[in-house]
Amino acid sequence: MTTLFQPTCVWDLKATLGEGPIWSAKDHALWFVDIKKQHIHRYDVNIGSKQTWHAPSPCGFIAPKKRGGFIVGCKTGLYDFDPKTGDFTFLTHVEPGLPNNRLNDGYVDHQGRLWFGSMDDDENSPTGKLYRYDARGLKVMDDDYVITNGPAVSPDGKTLYHNDTLKKHIYAFDLDADGHLSNKRLFAQLDAQGHTPPHGEGYMDGPVVDSAGNVWNALFFGWGVNCYAPDGRLIRTVRLPVSNVTKIAFGGHDLKTVYATTAAKGLSADDIKQQPLAGGLFRFEVDIPGQAQNEITHV
């Protein structure tokens, strides 16, 4: 019998800032990035093979396209990425006037639109924005973030969640069929105090929504993942043996296998001794499946 909610490390790659896992049912693989090392990683869950590509600049996310290949969000802009050749083709600048910003987390919604955030690479200034990218082009949808994370969308496609990491907030927005946002409100937050000194409960990192509408949120400096019911109640916490958990993805044939990226960034030499698997890719089983990975349709 499979033991639920018990994490194991499946790839001890010691990522500096592992992030953005996505599940590809086409090739039974987990794709993710290491932002600081400019790496794109692929883990084949059937045979355990591992591949790595080097991106043009620090890369915050990878998102699949309906036509094949991926879009990768880099500090220098959006790129088309063909893993068969390893080629990156430049698509568009995002913030050429903000050279200290970089792109962070990304998501493809049910209509095939790409959403992603930007942030101050020094994590000090509120220059980060939330973007939508579709056939109409690139559009700013929200702003005033130091560190953005997410977004993610509910199963009915009507609620978009997006995180302000330093404020420790998850926001919810109403999302209409045309991709417009309204009614921004606080969905969940972390208290300043907590059980894991000196950082309290950690910081809101990447969110993902399962098929029941529960919001799973990774905790940077928080040693795990919180799961919130659609009404914002905390209903579960899964603990990991490393402090910096960045995001999860639901995978496997039934979308009940969770993969979690983690990071060694911000840890001291003594921290690393206590957390030798920091930066590894982890896996655990859950009882409620996730949502299938959406694909970008306009490029």
Side-chain angles (χ1 to χ4, degrees), residues 123-140:
E123 303 179 5
N124 292 318
S125 301
T127 52
K129 300 176 178 64
L130 171 64
Y131 289 90
R132 185 193 69 207
Y133 182 55
D134 59 13
R136 296 166 288 186
L138 191 63
K139 183 176 177 58
V140 176

Side-chain angles (χ1 to χ4, degrees), residues 236-258:
R236 179 175 294 280
T237 297
V238 178
R239 295 295 173 199
L240 272 74
V242 295
S243 64
N244 299 344
V245 188
T246 56
K247 194 170 185 178
I248 68 166
F250 290 85
H253 70 280
D254 57 2
L255 296 177
K256 290 184 178 180
T257 300
V258 167

Side-chain angles (χ1 to χ4, degrees), residues 87-267:
D87 292 337
F88 291 84
T89 303
F90 179 77
L91 294 174
T92 183
H93 290 291
V94 177
E95 295 177 336
L98 294 171
N100 206 50
N101 269 21
R102 67 167 174 83
L103 303 188
N104 203 35
D105 205 1
Y107 174 79
V108 183
D109 71 14
H110 307 336
Q111 282 74 39
R113 298 175 292 232
L114 175 63
W115 299 77
F116 62 89
S118 65
M119 60 172 281
D120 174 23
D121 210 5
D122 291 333
E123 303 179 5
N124 292 318
S125 301
T127 52
K129 300 176 178 64
L130 171 64
Y131 289 90
R132 185 193 69 207
Y133 182 55
D134 59 13
R136 296 166 288 186
L138 191 63
K139 183 176 177 58
V140 176
M141 304 302 293
D142 198 25
D143 57 15
D144 196 33
Y145 294 87
V146 178
I147 301 175
T148 58
N149 265 294
V153 174
S154 60
D156 64 7
K158 295 181 179 180
T159 304
L160 181 142
Y161 302 94
H162 191 238
N163 293 4
D164 188 318
T165 293
L166 290 193
K167 290 182 180 177
K168 305 186 180 187
H169 288 171
I170 303 177
Y171 294 112
F173 300 77
D174 292 340
L175 172 64
D176 70 18
D178 291 326
H180 298 121
L181 299 180
S182 61
N183 189 27
K184 180 179 180 180
R185 58 207 181 267
L186 183 64
F187 171 74
Q189 63 183 324
L190 294 174
D191 294 330
Q193 304 301 317
H195 55 272
T196 313
H199 302 289
E201 294 176 296
Y203 294 85
M204 294 291 197
D205 212 295
V208 177
V209 185
D210 67 23
S211 60
N214 302 309
V215 180
W216 292 76
N217 199 91
L219 302 173
F220 202 94
F221 287 136
W223 297 87
V225 184
N226 279 350
C227 179
Y228 299 90
D231 62 5
R233 290 177 299 111
L234 178 63
I235 56 176
R236 179 175 294 280
T237 297
V238 178
R239 295 295 173 199
L240 272 74
V242 295
S243 64
N244 299 344
V245 188
T246 56
K247 194 170 185 178
I248 68 166
F250 290 85
H253 70 280
D254 57 2
L255 296 177
K256 290 184 178 180
T257 300
V258 167
Y259 293 90
T261 49
T262 68
K265 177 181 178 290
L267 300 181

Side-chain angles (χ1 to χ4, degrees), residues 51-88:
Q51 294 174 275
T52 299
W53 294 263
H54 193 77
S57 63
C59 45
F61 66 84
I62 181 170
K65 301 189 305 175
K66 189 78 170 178
R67 301 174 187 174
F70 299 87
I71 286 182
V72 178
C74 294
K75 185 171 184 177
T76 48
L78 299 180
Y79 290 79
D80 191 290
F81 168 54
D82 183 351
K84 295 179 181 178
T85 63
D87 292 337
F88 291 84

